[in-house]
Amino acid sequence: KASITVTVNALPSKPSATTAVEYCYGATATALSATPSSGHTLVWYDTDGTTVLTSAPTPSTSSVGPTDYYVAQKSNTTDCVGPQETITVNVLSLPLAPSTSTSSVAYCQGATATALSATVTSGSGNTLVWYSGTGASATLLSGAPTPSTSTQGVTDYSVAQKTFAGCEGPKTTITVEVV
């Protein structure tokens, strides 16, 4: 009779990971992360839970909603792979552009100006974010601006809505002309 020795190795536990990640629609995402136990390496899986990836995935933010990714850890000594930890990436929608009563305002030089105004058009808890200028070069302001009428010229301001989660929507432009 020959004897056979069977060794049963314990499965590694799930790796440590943040299991809920949020991004705004269109935001730049970073690769997901997890921390393996000492003596273990990470095994990343695609959204199907079976396709093994060569490295941690970087989630897409091109569509709104949740997507699950999976990670497990493998023992460096036994090659046993433990159970998967699910990381849910939720991509949040952007709010609509705020509404304004006008897209342009004119003042005579030296006249008393009033603060520009806009209205939140969607989402409970959304706030307005004001900028001097438009596009990527716009400068964030602390609140609704009151235009200066001391010199003649045209100044553009813009305003966007921001959700409670920090997602900022498209800007609406208000042009102020001082004549």
Side-chain angles (χ1 to χ4, degrees), residues 57-106:
T58 299
S60 169
T61 61
S62 63
S63 62
V64 173
T67 303
D68 289 337
Y69 295 87
Y70 305 92
V71 61
Q73 58 183 352
K74 179 170 89 170
S75 169
N76 294 340
T77 56
T78 66
D79 282 338
C80 292
V81 177
Q84 295 176 343
E85 181 65 81
T86 303
I87 300 174
T88 300
V89 176
N90 193 22
V91 178
L92 306 171
S93 62
L94 300 180
L96 301 172
S99 67
T100 59
S101 59
T102 182
S103 61
S104 64
V105 178

Side-chain angles (χ1 to χ4, degrees), residues 104-160:
S104 64
V105 178
Y107 288 105
C108 293
Q109 185 175 3
T112 301
T114 58
L116 300 178
S117 65
T119 304
V120 172
T121 57
S122 65
S124 174
N126 287 358
T127 57
L128 296 174
V129 183
W130 288 91
Y131 295 90
S132 175
T134 60
S137 62
T139 303
L140 181 65
L141 301 173
S142 61
T146 300
S148 169
T149 61
S150 61
T151 58
Q152 292 181 337
V154 175
T155 305
D156 285 329
Y157 295 91
S158 52
V159 59

Side-chain angles (χ1 to χ4, degrees), residues 2-82:
S3 88
I4 299 174
T5 303
V6 176
T7 303
V8 177
N9 296 308
L11 284 179
S13 60
K14 292 180 180 181
S16 174
T18 300
T19 58
V21 179
E22 285 186 340
Y23 284 104
C24 298
Y25 175 82
T28 301
T30 58
L32 297 176
S33 65
T35 305
S37 301
S38 178
H40 295 78
T41 56
L42 296 174
V43 180
W44 287 96
Y45 298 88
D46 204 357
T47 57
D48 62 9
T50 58
T51 303
V52 176
L53 303 173
T54 57
S55 62
T58 299
S60 169
T61 61
S62 63
S63 62
V64 173
T67 303
D68 289 337
Y69 295 87
Y70 305 92
V71 61
Q73 58 183 352
K74 179 170 89 170
S75 169
N76 294 340
T77 56
T78 66
D79 282 338
C80 292
V81 177

